[in-house]
Amino acid sequence: MAEADKVKGNPAVYRSGQDIECWLTDMDGVLVHENQAVPGAAELIQRWVDTSKRFLVLTNNSIFTPRDLAARLRASGLEVPEENIWTSALATAQFLKDQVQGSGSGNRAYTIGEAGLTTALHEAGFILTDQDPDFVVLGETRTYSFEAITTAIRLILAGARFIATNPDATGPSKDGPLPATGAIAALITKATDREPYVVGKPNPMMFRSAMNQIDAHSETTAMIGDRMDTDIVAGMEAGLHTVLVLTGITQREDIAAFPFRPNQVLTSVADLKNQI
């Protein structure tokens, strides 16, 4: 084991792959890149299955349902059951369900988003409406409507609580970046002077909700990600063993810009298979 891959100062913090019972992993930049499976990703997933490891694939994308994402991964050559996928939409729906239970809050929500978000909220027992909602829930969509944004602003000013699925300011497209949830949230905040509660990464709540899904404990769970500013910082704050892979956004030379470090830095997920 490379010395650079150990946590400096407190060896007890370091957990080897053999000690990890549960795995959380980001999707884009870790398992897939531009709709192609990252070399070693299929083998790692199979290794988790063969060794009965509990795992979830996490994404801040709230557009798609787990079934949609499982189909996308399958087209990339990765077999991930839909029950092993956890989205910011599912985490948001679980958060709101917990907020409503026993609190006296209503279960009415006005949403800006697509099937991933509306399905998750429906399954959590929410009524989707623009009539006196308790929450305004902002998620990802390919076509933000000025009319819908205006309605959200007016409902928040009337007292609805403002929730966002994730803070990502832009999303990718074949023609270049598109405005995403974080950018639209900033617009609504400017108009209302109300900051949203953001559920997705880097909020460690998303990781804790994922761990609840697979009955995981932070002491025996690892997070694999390609971004220091979301995956690694949130994993660290949730008390997880963190693994940065260099197949996505953050490169080795970028790490020095951050005041925290991952537990491990690996070239790709292919380097993990022999640790499990």
Side-chain angles (χ1 to χ4, degrees), residues 3-8 13-14 223-225 227-228 231-233 235-236 240-246 250 252 254-256 258-266:
E3 187 65 27
D5 287 342
K6 295 182 180 179
V7 177
K8 303 297 191 293
V13 174
Y14 183 83
M223 173 64 198
I224 312 166
R227 295 186 63 129
M228 288 286 287
D231 306 315
I232 301 305
V233 69
M236 178 187 70
L240 310 184
H241 177 82
T242 54
V243 181
L244 176 72
V245 293
L246 304 177
T250 300
R252 193 177 296 275
D254 301 326
I255 298 172
F258 294 89
F260 52 88
R261 295 291 181 271
N263 296 108
Q264 289 180 277
V265 180
L266 302 176

Side-chain angles (χ1 to χ4, degrees), residues 106-110 127 129-136 151 155 158-160:
N107 65 341
R108 299 163 66 86
Y110 176 74
I127 298 166
T129 179
D130 61 358
Q131 300 299 309
D132 194 28
D134 304 284
F135 303 95
V136 166
T151 298
L155 291 172

Side-chain angles (χ1 to χ4, degrees), residues 2-84:
E3 187 65 27
D5 287 342
K6 295 182 180 179
V7 177
K8 303 297 191 293
N10 184 3
V13 174
Y14 183 83
R15 287 158 276 182
S16 68
Q18 287 80 6
D19 298 326
I20 299 298
E21 297 175 1
C22 304
W23 293 83
L24 307 179
T25 178
D26 189 35
M27 185 169 68
D28 293 302
V30 177
L31 302 179
V32 292
H33 182 69
E34 295 181 352
N35 295 322
Q36 297 295 318
V38 170
E43 292 81 1
L44 177 63
I45 292 168
Q46 189 59 50
R47 181 69 174 161
W48 285 336
V49 172
D50 292 343
T51 57
S52 301
K53 300 292 186 186
R54 286 164 282 161
F55 72 96
L56 281 179
V57 176
L58 273 58
T59 177
N60 260 359
N61 190 320
S62 65
I63 290 178
F64 303 106
T65 66
R67 184 174 299 174
D68 299 330
L69 291 170
R72 175 190 164 191
L73 289 168
R74 190 175 304 113
S76 300
L78 300 177
E79 288 293 336
V80 179
E82 58 184 276
E83 59 266 25
N84 289 96

Side-chain angles (χ1 to χ4, degrees), residues 76-125:
S76 300
L78 300 177
E79 288 293 336
V80 179
E82 58 184 276
E83 59 266 25
N84 289 96
I85 297 173
W86 189 248
T87 70
S88 64
L90 292 172
T92 298
Q94 185 60 56
F95 164 73
L96 290 175
K97 184 177 180 179
D98 292 343
Q99 287 281 295
V100 167
Q101 286 178 343
S103 69
S105 296
N107 65 341
R108 299 163 66 86
Y110 176 74
T111 64
I112 297 177
E114 297 199 23
L117 181 58
T118 56
T119 301
L121 288 170
H122 268 303
E123 291 180 351

